[in-house]
Amino acid sequence: MHVYLSLYKEITMKKLLSICAFSLLILTNLSYAEEQATSPVERMFSVMDMDKQMTGGFEAMLPVIEQMAAQLKLDAAAKEELKNIYRDWFKYDFDQQAILAELVEVYSENFTDKEINELTAFYETPTGQKFLAKSPELMQIGAQLGMQEGQLKQGLLLERLQPFVAKHQNK
């Protein structure tokens, strides 16, 4: 009887070890499948904190709202209220997940997996992280410079548009 009990314990222990090993194998495969479900572009977007980049891009457009506030002659409180309306619009009304999904497609069509992996490797470096951290501020500066140049050259644009408008008004 003692031999049977010992054999039973040994078989039960082997079954328990087999179940643990099988469970570990399944969990490892599920984890691997989840990793594979994430495309290289999705991984790069994660490293880039793309949602923060989108918000930073929106914030870079705030000088346009500043201009609108100046044209409306708003005081500081009203200007901030106007900015908050735009921020809420962006935060609550934009389907950012849909935009990100579309961007994944666009990037996938324009870059190979190898190129995406190389970009991801760059964004993981200290220089890449600094670039990402500075991007919103740099976009804002770029937008301001573009607006200033546009305002300076607005007269030239109007000169170019006059013949076009005159030509098409007569039709």
Side-chain angles (χ1 to χ4, degrees):
M1 175 89 163
H2 180 64
V3 173
Y4 291 117
L5 187 57
S6 176
L7 185 60
Y8 175 75
K9 286 181 181 177
E10 187 177 324
I11 291 172
T12 304
M13 186 57 89
K14 284 182 181 178
K15 282 184 180 178
L16 184 60
L17 288 173
S18 295
I19 290 170
C20 287
F22 182 71
S23 297
L24 184 60
L25 180 67
I26 288 175
L27 289 174
T28 302
N29 284 337
L30 285 175
S31 175
Y32 178 74
E34 285 177 11
E35 285 178 17
Q36 297 297 49
T38 302
S39 74
V41 175
E42 291 168 321
R43 177 165 154 29
M44 180 180 72
F45 283 2
S46 175
V47 168
M48 293 174 65
D49 286 325
M50 185 59 102
D51 54 336
K52 291 179 184 171
Q53 293 297 320
M54 288 175 61
T55 301
F58 170 77
E59 293 290 326
M61 299 282 103
L62 288 179
V64 174
I65 299 167
E66 292 274 348
Q67 270 191 333
M68 186 187 309
Q71 289 172 347
L72 295 171
K73 297 181 172 80
L74 300 178
D75 64 16
K79 181 169 55 172
E80 196 57 34
E81 183 180 351
L82 181 64
K83 284 182 183 179
N84 286 334
I85 289 169
Y86 275 89
R87 284 184 181 114
D88 286 348
W89 172 67
F90 178 76
K91 183 177 179 180
Y92 298 114
D93 298 329
F94 269 57
D95 189 347
Q96 293 181 34
Q97 291 306 313
I99 293 169
L100 284 172
E102 288 182 43
L103 282 173
V104 166
E105 291 298 318
V106 169
Y107 275 71
S108 295
E109 291 168 2
N110 287 281
F111 294 95
T112 66
D113 285 354
K114 180 181 182 287
E115 292 168 330
I116 293 294
N117 290 334
E118 289 170 354
L119 286 168
T120 302
F122 166 72
Y123 289 131
E124 289 175 322
T125 68
T127 302
Q129 288 295 302
K130 181 178 181 178
F131 173 80
L132 292 171
K134 292 284 187 180
S135 287
E137 178 185 341
L138 296 172
M139 280 192 282
Q140 186 171 10
I141 292 169
Q144 288 172 338
L145 292 171
M147 283 184 355
Q148 289 170 358
E149 184 66 12
Q151 288 172 345
L152 288 173
K153 303 299 188 322
Q154 186 175 14
L156 295 172
L157 175 61
L158 293 175
E159 284 177 25
R160 291 176 185 267
L161 284 174
Q162 280 178 338
F164 176 83
V165 171
K167 176 180 167 185
H168 291 283
Q169 277 183 337
N170 296 333
K171 287 185 178 185

